[in-house]
Amino acid sequence: MTHHARHVSARAARRYLALHHLLAPPRSLSAEPASVMRVVGRLGSLQFDPLEVAGRNHDLVLLARIAGYRRQWTDDLLYRERALYETYNKMLSLVPTAELPWYRHAWDQERETHEQRAFDEHAPLVEELLARIRDCGPLSSTDIEPRAAIDWYWRPTNQVRALLEALAEAGILGIARREGNRRVYDLTERLFPAELLAQRPPEHEQRLHKLRSRYQANGLLGATGEYTLWSGTARTAPHRNELRAELETRGDIVAVQVEGLKGHRYVPRASLALLDAAEAEVAAEGDPAHAWAVGQPGGRAPGVALLAPLDPLAWDRDLLVRLYGFDYRWEVYVPAAKRRWGYYVLPLLYGDRLVGRIEPRIDRKAKVLGVLDLWWEAGFDPLDPAHDGFVDALAEALRAHAAFADASRVALPRTGRHRALAQALRPRLAGNRPGLVGSKA
């Protein structure tokens, strides 16, 4: 049981999270591939999602933190340099290849499961696929004639695709590269150094590492929360509590009591200095001038970030509600008629506050970044003089997103409720590029 947990104000907690997440201010890391590894070093892993409405999830996480971010940097780190690799942490994630031994128990578990089922039931095809890859090199599911569909997870799937996925889940195959979202597989031993594959830390240490990575990624998780926060970390909830207690005893995570939040939250030991800095910053700023004051995280003018739907800062939806008053649900899997906001809507961070939502969409063929809609939190007016600098900061974020998308134009919504904001944004977006801004048809 934890005693004497450090008490932290809600303001300091929000400021700390902006610092921990390298968002003080956004896009402050230098425009180079090394910055990708710096973000991964801070957050531990980046969740992968293939939907590319406004950019893939991990690209959006990086775009919010790195100036001039280019998706090719991460693709090269994954598939050319192999400094990163895809594995299951919090769902499918990108993690440092150097940490592969601490994630391999998931491979071992899946291998045991599949050997008793799919690999046994479809042994001739498994051998055919492995022989083909061994003799002819990397293979995708479309490089070989499809076989009859089999029941696979939530839908019937072509046997070739299903078994390639199973072999990858078991660590026998790895992803050599992606062509779009199509996975091209090769033998794991061809992709990673033998000495790395030979390392097998005890499963207990691997599970501790995986649980620690969740606390590291978010920066302020508690002991509970919805299942994806903890998937794969422990066999049961009581087992996870035991692992968490061990991390706390080791000093890897430190309990804090945040104003207005029930139960303890945990700060990674490496981020305690950032919590100290956050408390010092908000103390130096004094009482906020108004309810939506954002201060100067990191001692610099606040910026705007479009947060990825699976950004580690947004993982714990309950924390967003209780600490920021922000009720966020990613609605891509919600039927259109039941959506409250829209299909691919992102939280808008300003300084250390979540002030609204935005629905961006990239049209690569037309080279347009479209802003389908914007919504503001109750009481926040983007044109209020109290938020001097917000429109400039939003324009900067949109310019960065347009550059990432190789878009030559930003199309703003033409609805009446956005007219004044669009008028304010237009000259700021255009700058020296008059063609960069337009209205959404």
Side-chain angles (χ1 to χ4, degrees):
M1 184 175 177
T2 305
H3 298 282
H4 310 301
R6 176 173 175 173
H7 284 258
V8 178
S9 71
R11 279 183 67 208
R14 289 191 294 265
R15 182 63 54 88
Y16 154 71
L17 284 171
L19 295 170
H20 173 81
H21 282 275
L22 300 168
L23 292 167
R27 299 172 300 282
S28 55
L29 299 186
S30 55
E32 58 180 346
S35 291
V36 174
M37 297 306 293
R38 183 175 172 193
V39 174
V40 174
R42 172 64 60 85
L43 303 179
S45 64
L46 305 177
Q47 198 165 341
F48 180 92
D49 185 86
L51 289 177
E52 203 165 350
V53 177
R56 298 170 301 180
N57 182 78
H58 66 275
D59 288 322
L60 296 179
V61 173
L62 294 163
L63 175 61
R65 292 159 173 87
I66 302 172
Y69 171 72
R70 308 304 293 173
R71 57 180 286 160
Q72 191 61 46
W73 297 347
T74 306
D75 288 350
D76 285 345
L77 288 165
L78 277 165
Y79 311 124
R80 188 168 60 83
E81 299 174 36
R82 304 206 183 280
L84 299 172
Y85 82 111
E86 298 183 30
T87 193
Y88 284 89
N89 186 15
K90 182 183 180 290
M91 314 309 285
L92 186 59
S93 297
L94 314 182
V95 307
T97 304
E99 295 182 11
L100 185 153
W102 281 269
Y103 287 98
R104 66 170 307 146
H105 77 89
W107 281 357
D108 297 338
Q109 284 182 323
E110 291 294 334
R111 186 166 188 161
E112 186 177 336
T113 299
H114 288 311
E115 280 179 345
Q116 294 171 2
R117 298 175 190 168
F119 295 166
D120 183 47
E121 294 169 18
H122 306 282
L125 182 54
V126 169
E127 284 307 312
E128 180 186 340
L129 293 172
L130 289 175
R132 172 106 176 231
I133 293 171
R134 195 176 297 115
D135 297 339
C136 304
L139 180 77
S140 81
S141 61
T142 58
D143 292 333
I144 194 167
E145 184 181 339
R147 312 297 165 88
I150 57 173
D151 287 336
W152 193 248
Y153 294 118
W154 57 87
R155 67 181 184 276
T157 300
N158 162 24
Q159 283 183 62
V160 171
R161 178 178 173 180
L163 291 173
L164 287 171
E165 286 181 1
L167 288 163
E169 289 170 354
I172 298 167
L173 298 180
I175 298 176
R177 65 183 185 275
R178 283 180 181 263
E179 296 175 352
N181 280 322
R182 190 160 55 92
R183 288 167 284 192
V184 180
Y185 299 96
D186 201 353
L187 300 173
T188 301
E189 60 260 33
R190 288 177 179 164
L191 302 177
F192 305 111
E195 58 271 22
L196 198 66
L197 293 173
Q199 293 180 42
R200 258 192 172 77
E203 182 182 326
H204 181 73
E205 292 298 323
Q206 292 184 49
R207 288 189 181 277
L208 282 171
H209 180 89
K210 189 172 274 194
L211 184 61
R212 187 191 302 112
S213 81
R214 306 297 167 85
Y215 284 103
Q216 180 65 38
N218 176 264
L220 202 61
L221 291 180
T224 59
E226 56 103 13
Y227 85 99
T228 62
L229 286 173
W230 313 112
S231 60
T233 58
R235 291 183 291 273
T236 61
H239 182 215
R240 188 179 73 242
N241 289 335
E242 292 171 11
L243 294 174
R244 191 193 68 253
E246 186 171 346
L247 290 176
E248 194 176 356
T249 299
R250 290 183 176 193
D252 291 349
I253 57 174
V254 177
V256 297
Q257 183 68 59
V258 179
E259 173 192 8
L261 273 60
K262 291 182 180 178
H264 289 142
R265 295 269 161 174
Y266 298 89
V267 172
R269 176 175 54 189
S271 289
L272 286 173
L274 298 176
L275 181 58
D276 294 339
E279 291 186 316
E281 283 185 17
V282 297
E285 288 172 6
D287 293 335
H290 53 82
W292 282 100
V294 298
Q296 291 193 317
R300 297 166 69 177
V304 165
L306 283 60
L307 294 184
L310 301 171
D311 192 295
L313 178 55
W315 277 2
D316 187 348
R317 308 295 201 226
D318 183 63
L319 179 63
L320 296 188
V321 170
R322 298 181 188 282
L323 186 60
Y324 297 88
F326 191 81
D327 185 9
Y328 180 63
R329 185 180 186 192
W330 192 32
E331 296 182 306
V332 288
Y333 302 114
V334 176
K338 295 185 177 181
R339 287 180 196 135
R340 183 179 178 191
W341 307 107
Y343 176 65
Y344 204 94
V345 174
L346 309 180
L348 275 173
L349 181 79
Y350 178 43
D352 56 14
R353 303 294 296 274
L354 290 167
V355 300
R357 305 151 210 264
I358 186 168
E359 186 171 13
R361 185 158 298 176
I362 295 171
D363 184 338
R364 294 193 184 277
K365 188 175 180 181
K367 290 188 171 295
V368 172
L369 171 65
V371 178
L372 304 191
D373 212 338
L374 290 148
W375 301 264
W376 306 108
E377 292 295 277
F380 182 83
D381 179 353
L383 297 174
D384 189 325
H387 311 311
D388 180 40
F390 174 77
V391 177
D392 285 323
L394 177 58
E396 182 187 335
L398 291 173
R399 285 199 304 269
H401 209 111
F404 161 76
D406 294 320
S408 56
R409 188 165 67 90
V410 177
L412 300 171
R414 294 200 308 194
T415 52
R417 67 190 177 92
H418 295 313
R419 187 171 294 121
L421 177 62
Q423 288 174 345
L425 279 171
R426 212 163 265 120
R428 291 170 167 89
L429 279 172
N432 296 324
R433 296 173 63 192
L436 184 63
V437 64
S439 296
K440 186 174 77 69

